[in-house]
Amino acid sequence: MDDRGYEVASLLQSIDVPRIEALSIACLFSSDELSSQDIEKATGLRQPEVSVAMRSLDERGWIDERDDKRTKCRGRPAKYYSLKVDFADIIKVYESRILKMNQKKLEIIDDLLKMDI
């Protein structure tokens, strides 16, 4: 992952995106398709962390996943991932969450100001 990818990951983390998700999104953002091993190498995440991040992103419908059964090694087929939504759409989801959270906080502040203390 290049400097731009790390900057994207850092900015995502600054808006409370979990570290492993931020790194994974930033990594996938800069590539067409990556194997789980490619993501591990690029981000420094361990395999279980990549799996957790991919599961979370898949549950949101943000990634495509495919198995490559044509592997020379024994064991499980290699998994390949790619973003299937625009990066801007992902950012809009986080923006919406932040706006909702801030609106709730403003309502609490308003309630506190209305109290006769």
Side-chain angles (χ1 to χ4, degrees), residues 27-28 30-36 38-39 64-68 79-83:
C27 191
L28 290 170
S30 61
S31 301
D32 290 334
E33 182 181 67
L34 293 171
S35 72
S36 55
D38 293 334
I39 296 168
D64 279 324
E65 176 184 314
R66 75 172 178 87
D67 290 332
D68 184 3
K79 291 193 178 209
Y80 287 84
Y81 302 97
S82 60
L83 286 179

Side-chain angles (χ1 to χ4, degrees), residues 46-59:
R46 295 174 293 126
Q47 188 281 322
E49 293 173 313
V50 172
S51 293
V52 168
M54 293 302 112
R55 188 176 318 115
S56 178
L57 300 178
D58 186 47
E59 288 171 357

Side-chain angles (χ1 to χ4, degrees), residues 9 13 16-25 43-46 49:
Q13 288 177 73
D16 295 329
V17 176
R19 180 180 149 274
I20 62 173
E21 288 181 24
L23 285 167
S24 298
I25 291 168
T43 60
L45 296 172
R46 295 174 293 126
E49 293 173 313

Side-chain angles (χ1 to χ4, degrees), residues 11-19 21 94 97-98 101:
L11 290 169
L12 287 169
Q13 288 177 73
S14 73
I15 60 170
D16 295 329
V17 176
R19 180 180 149 274
E21 288 181 24
Y94 291 121
R97 285 182 188 172
I98 290 168
M101 184 173 54

Side-chain angles (χ1 to χ4, degrees), residues 70-98:
R70 297 172 290 144
T71 181
K72 297 176 187 175
C73 303
R74 292 182 180 184
R76 296 181 181 202
K79 291 193 178 209
Y80 287 84
Y81 302 97
S82 60
L83 286 179
K84 72 177 183 181
V85 298
D86 288 335
F87 183 70
D89 293 334
I90 292 171
I91 300 308
K92 287 177 186 176
V93 169
Y94 291 121
E95 177 187 33
S96 176
R97 285 182 188 172
I98 290 168

